[in-house]
Amino acid sequence: MSATVAGTRSTTQHILFVLRGNPVTAIAATLVTLLVVIAILAPWLAPYDPIASDVPSALQPPSAAHWAGTDQLGRDIFSRILLAARLDLFIAVSAVGLSFVVGAVVGGFCGYRGGRLDRWVGRIVDVLMAFPLFVLAMALVAALGNRMENIIIATAVINLPFYTRFARAEVNVRRNSGWVEAARACGESHMMVVLRFLLPNVLPAMAVQISLNLGWAILNAAGLSFIGLGVQAPTPEWGIMVAEGARFITTGKWWLVAFPGLALMLTVLGFNLLGDGLRDILDPRMRT
Amino acid sequence: MKTFLAILRRVGRRLLFSLPALLGVVVVTFVLMRVLPGDPAVFFAAGPSAGKAEIDELRHQMGLDKPMPVQLVRYLGDVATGNLGRSLTTGQPVVADMRARLPASLELTCTALVIALFLSIPLGVAAALRPGSPIDHGVRMLCTLGVCVPTFVSGLLLIYVFYYLLGWAPDPTARIDIFASTPPDITGFYLIDFALTGDWQGWWAAFTQLLLPAFTMALFVLAPLARMTRASMLAVLGSDFIRTANALGLKPLRIVVAYALRNALLPVLTITGIVFSTMLGANVLVEKVFSWPGVASYALDALLASDYAPVQAFVLLMATIFVLVNVLIDILYGVADPRVSVE
Amino acid sequence: MNIPRRAVFHLATGATLAGILPVDARAQSRAETLRYVTGANINTLDPCVPGTTRESFGLSMNVYDRLFAFGRKQVNGNWVFDSSVIRGELAQSYEMSADKLTITIHLRPDATWQDGSPVTAEDIKWSLDRAVSAKSLAPPQFSTGSLTSPDQFRIVDAKTLTVSLTKPDRLALANLCVPYAIMINSKLAKQHATADDPWALEWTKTNTAASGAYIVESYKPGESVILRRNEAWKGGANGKLPFFRRIILQTVPEAATRANLIERGDADLSIDLAASDIPTMEKSAKAKVISVPQTNGFTHISMNTQVAPFDNPKVRQAIGAALPYENMFQASLFGRGRRLYDASWTGSPPNIDFPQPMPLKTDPARAKQLLAEAGLPNGFKTSFAFSTGAAATAEPVAALVKEALGKVGIDVDIQKKPDAEFNTMEAEKKLPFFIDAGTAWLPATYYYFYLYFTRDQRWNFASWKNTRIEELAALARFETDPAKYEAECKEMIEIFADQQPLLMVWQPNHDAVMAKSVDGYTYQFYRQADFRDLVRA
């Protein structure tokens, strides 16, 4: 009991220590927290209905009434950015979550068992890795139809090889270690050994990858939107807002691109820096 | 000689082992294209008076009236004999289109990679020498910012600023000003062809045309390269032989460049290979924004039009390049570090 | 950029002007060169092969001659094609028999192919035979002019032919003016014909056998085409050669980039800029904009009249009353076009022009009432589709349609589909409710109804079946009495306005943006630039 408490305290202290010594990570953590709060509270925070059009006041520059200006249909860009946080975060989290769960479990078992299963999965992963990934995502969305669930699936599929390989390699080096032998000697089933002992050990290392991937997943969805394979209008989504705004950049209407672009950038930045920060927190060499 | 043969054997085996993956790529792409909900025959028979009969005729011409397994077998046969089909969008054989467009993509990607390496290695080294310092954080921030702006946004902004507002960059269309002459087609790489023919004015024109798109791409890949350089430098700097060198009182610059960096470059090399093949496949958006006549934008147009052949060929090409790059890294590893077993 | 790019100007033949000619000669050649930038591809040199892009139609008009050409007229200071005037191109003159069943065509005595050989009646007969018999896009088009069999074309002598018709089709002559009616050097083409391909369709995709105003000097599919003026061309309206000696057509996918090129004076002409860029271009110091409503086209919101609930005219009328037309027009096109809604007539239309403004008015209360009368007081669920390629103009419309219909209880799910998927579903009649556009090459009222509102075929967007319309369209086609023709056309428009199978909403402007120095731009029925009319002032 006391050992657990001590452990918790030292972890908290360690996190605080890292945050103090690394202001960038602190900023990143704040950014991500802010983002999550915005995503949750968006409907109450947004000053306007993000979907309601007001064509007579279209394409207005930022003003006191519309902080980030209005778009082609006179919709309030600021409100749309807030609401979009929800959708973008949802897409990213579901896609990365999906590929993480599938990748970790499949990769974990392959690393643990080896043999024929491992070889076959390895081959499938090889095929996936050989694909130009963005083009694969494009083709998947085009084939399945550009709905949100398919964008999530496509993003998950192209992330899958990383997680599978990562989990496989990490489990593979640990499978013969003493404590795994011990667990097995205690009569734990293979399934239990992988799920309860091996994967949790791999988790911290994977957390870094997850954080980095969240940012990447958002960029991926934005790219799909840019080429017309994104979520359906009039749902606000950052990528689609940037893509729509790109048409107006040469006519000097910068706010259509700038604000959603900024939101996109800050979010991806938050996730990336947080990933780096996590790496520092988890890296045992930093701890000592 | 013995090592050379061993390397050769190793390369051969690697290539042989990658064949199933390539076959998998071909089959998956083929099936994926067939389940696209768009019917190319309908799309391309879109003349003002094309009716059912014209659509059926086109479908017959394209062999789409056959069952899918028959189409697949026929396609595999074609691929084996080097026939990748004909693009409906351009009306040309895909092989000819690819041959004309691949050098453009490769030139752009290589230039971007060179720019990225020139920026990221010094940045990574600087960060590694003072871990935790403002320099380190600054480098990290700078690189991360690069990854955070979608390439189509940074590309459009660069065009806006450097071409439209400032007028420093040439018009962002294609590989060379249309009023200038293209170099004789020797390698297809304009920079090399211009250099070979000694046309330095042309070389400069092609080079300036390359800069904006290459820079857009380079920004995006700074982070993995700099990060890997930093990590790998940190590991090397902490190792015994560097400590020894320090203890011996060698000049710090010499230690960093001659000993540490040289040993730290191997992992960077690996990541460079991966970055290269990802870039080649992922520069769709950059090519689109800069009207670059490369293979990726070609594949994108074909995909939206359900034009099967170019997409299939593009994916196959990218997969092949991916395999080749991996084998190349492997060889370089073997050459650079004899400890990497030939087996 | 300090490098004098113009100084490295080369002729595509390989001769370097920079070294040979003095500076003013170089400036001259730039002045006589037109650089045209487009977002589309030229995928074939023969406009008849399946899959031809609109850009390729435009190119073929400049490279090939046809027997006849439409005239042009000035409307509001802009040149527009005039299908009521038909002049000879390769033909010098023609006579129509009194019963309108025989057309006698006299070829220009001095016309030559681009390889120098003379144009003969044999070549023309071969070209016409090809147009009605090759497996290409031409036969279905020619059948709309009752041109269906090689037997209809007879050689009289080396420079004279006759075309005979079984019925006095009002569009027979007009069909000889469309892009598919190219006249081909048969001696040259036949050398490349094979047993499988007797009409040399494969060869003409990448080669030309033409007599037109411009000669293809280099052709890089999907990238660029370079044209050189044909100094021996005889087909001009007044026998004059076109002004520009060289034309460079270049594919530049991004609309914003094309706008930049024109704005900076690096390119001379583009006709497919984003609607949102046009107002800026109008203020530009270097560029000017010629905006002409696409009089032979229309943007429409279609409903599948064969499936519930759109099979009920009241539901279609309810949608017609619910849509916020003016807002849609402003958000989609920034008001750049001709409105086809808000007309004040009721019952019979004032004239037989088509498309003409329909009495469509935004009236949500009436929409609700119509829905209730249709037995759907609580509305229904449907989806509204548009293609990715049309997203710039269709996406704002879709958002407004969803919003407006939501207010009368109709729940709309927006579907943006890749172009090929959209076209396939549209052709297979699987879209219940969608926005698209149509253009008729031959703007005759009967032809619109025949093409867009009859028969089970892909251009009947709304899958509309109306026996009276079918009868009237068939009658009007061969009607020789103008008064009867007018009565038939008015009745068709009346039925259309009442039944609302689709809502014609507007004619977008055709916006040609060009350097200030370029003049003479003409809006053509195939909606592409005709380089033969252009001059640099």
Side-chain angles (χ1 to χ4, degrees), chain A residues 134-148 150-151 154 220-232 237 240 243, chain B residues 36 300 303-304, chain C residues 388 416-419 421:
Chain A
F134 187 66
V135 176
L136 178 64
M138 271 163 42
L140 278 172
V141 174
L144 299 172
N146 47 343
R147 287 189 304 276
M148 193 176 65
N150 295 332
I151 294 165
N220 194 60
L224 287 173
S225 291
F226 183 72
I227 55 167
L229 291 171
V231 286
Q232 300 290 4
E237 193 269 330
I240 217 161
Chain B
L36 279 185
L300 169 66
L303 181 72
L304 291 181
Chain C
T388 309
K416 171 156 76 175
K417 293 178 177 300
D419 298 11
E421 182 183 352

Side-chain angles (χ1 to χ4, degrees), chain C residues 66-126:
Chain C
R66 285 134 301 275
L67 281 172
F68 299 101
F70 291 146
R72 63 171 184 164
K73 61 185 174 192
Q74 271 192 311
V75 179
N76 303 329
N78 294 322
W79 288 105
V80 179
F81 76 97
D82 181 0
S83 57
S84 64
V85 176
I86 291 184
R87 66 167 185 88
E89 202 160 75
L90 262 186
Q92 188 166 44
S93 62
Y94 73 96
E95 292 120 33
M96 180 76 82
S97 66
D99 58 3
K100 302 203 168 174
L101 291 178
T102 310
I103 309 164
T104 309
I105 298 166
H106 304 283
L107 299 178
R108 283 183 198 279
D110 51 353
T112 53
W113 299 110
Q114 288 174 354
D115 66 1
S117 60
V119 174
T120 66
E122 226 167 283
D123 293 318
I124 304 303
K125 158 94 176 134
W126 189 84

Side-chain angles (χ1 to χ4, degrees), chain C residues 82-200:
Chain C
D82 181 0
S83 57
S84 64
V85 176
I86 291 184
R87 66 167 185 88
E89 202 160 75
L90 262 186
Q92 188 166 44
S93 62
Y94 73 96
E95 292 120 33
M96 180 76 82
S97 66
D99 58 3
K100 302 203 168 174
L101 291 178
T102 310
I103 309 164
T104 309
I105 298 166
H106 304 283
L107 299 178
R108 283 183 198 279
D110 51 353
T112 53
W113 299 110
Q114 288 174 354
D115 66 1
S117 60
V119 174
T120 66
E122 226 167 283
D123 293 318
I124 304 303
K125 158 94 176 134
W126 189 84
S127 305
L128 291 170
D129 288 355
R130 183 186 198 253
V132 296
S133 24
K135 278 188 176 167
S136 74
L137 298 173
Q141 175 63 44
F142 271 61
S143 69
T144 66
S146 297
L147 302 167
T148 51
S149 151
D151 304 336
Q152 290 174 277
F153 314 117
R154 234 169 275 133
I155 297 176
V156 176
D157 61 45
K159 295 284 179 187
T160 317
L161 298 98
T162 60
V163 175
S164 46
L165 303 164
T166 48
K167 279 184 173 176
D169 197 304
R170 61 177 56 246
L171 294 181
L173 208 54
N175 262 298
L176 295 176
C177 304
V178 303
Y180 294 148
I182 51 170
M183 292 298 128
I184 299 166
N185 181 347
S186 66
K187 289 164 293 277
L188 182 57
K190 274 188 216 163
Q191 290 170 15
H192 302 276
T194 61
D196 288 342
D197 180 20
W199 301 106

Side-chain angles (χ1 to χ4, degrees), chain B residues 37-293:
Chain B
D39 181 340
V42 177
F43 185 66
F44 284 98
S49 48
K52 186 96 180 61
E54 285 67 39
I55 293 170
D56 287 343
E57 169 61 22
L58 197 64
R59 196 172 284 144
H60 175 71
Q61 276 178 21
M62 294 190 291
L64 297 176
D65 48 352
K66 306 259 184 324
M68 200 151 81
V70 178
Q71 290 183 43
L72 177 60
V73 170
R74 192 188 276 190
Y75 178 66
L76 289 177
D78 280 349
V79 169
T81 53
N83 174 10
L84 295 177
R86 190 180 267 273
S87 158
L88 293 165
T89 319
T90 64
Q92 301 300 303
V94 171
V95 176
D97 278 343
M98 287 285 175
R99 217 198 74 80
R101 285 165 168 270
L102 184 62
S105 287
L106 283 177
E107 189 168 40
L108 174 60
T109 312
C110 292
T111 313
L113 201 59
V114 169
I115 294 177
L117 284 174
F118 265 105
L119 291 175
S120 61
I121 292 180
L123 286 176
V125 170
L129 290 178
R130 299 265 181 286
S133 70
I135 296 179
D136 187 17
H137 291 308
V139 167
R140 178 189 286 189
M141 200 68 182
L142 189 74
C143 296
T144 315
L145 270 178
V147 208
C148 296
V149 191
T151 45
F152 55 89
V153 175
S154 48
L156 280 167
L157 286 174
L158 284 177
I159 291 179
Y160 186 61
V161 173
F162 288 100
Y163 172 70
Y164 188 78
L165 289 182
L166 299 173
W168 293 352
D171 46 8
T173 59
R175 304 171 67 187
I176 191 162
D177 187 272
I178 189 79
F179 288 105
S181 67
T182 54
D185 190 8
I186 304 167
T187 59
F189 291 79
Y190 281 8
L191 292 185
I192 297 178
D193 289 351
F194 273 126
L196 285 178
T197 49
D199 180 355
W200 296 108
Q201 205 174 29
W203 189 91
W204 180 248
F207 178 70
T208 48
Q209 203 87 12
L210 250 174
L211 272 181
L212 277 195
F215 204 74
T216 308
M217 283 176 79
L219 273 182
F220 201 69
V221 294
L222 270 186
L225 295 174
R227 198 174 271 156
M228 186 49 87
T229 312
R230 175 183 179 271
S232 149
M233 272 302 274
L234 272 181
V236 173
L237 287 174
S239 65
D240 293 342
F241 75 94
I242 296 292
R243 271 183 225 160
T244 315
N246 272 325
L248 288 172
L250 293 180
K251 282 203 187 90
L253 187 72
R254 184 147 176 217
I255 296 176
V256 170
V257 176
Y259 297 96
L261 188 58
R262 214 176 67 185
N263 283 286
L265 275 183
L266 259 183
V268 178
L269 191 69
T270 317
I271 205 96
T272 306
I274 295 168
V275 162
F276 175 79
S277 40
T278 336
M279 269 165 110
L280 205 53
N283 57 14
V284 181
L285 299 169
V286 178
E287 287 190 0
K288 206 75 204 148
V289 168
F290 286 92
S291 316
W292 200 255

Side-chain angles (χ1 to χ4, degrees), chain C residues 424-439:
Chain C
T424 307
M425 293 191 73
E426 187 185 57
E428 290 172 354
K429 311 293 178 197
K430 284 182 184 156
L431 297 173
F433 186 35
F434 60 97
I435 181 168
D436 197 9
T439 325

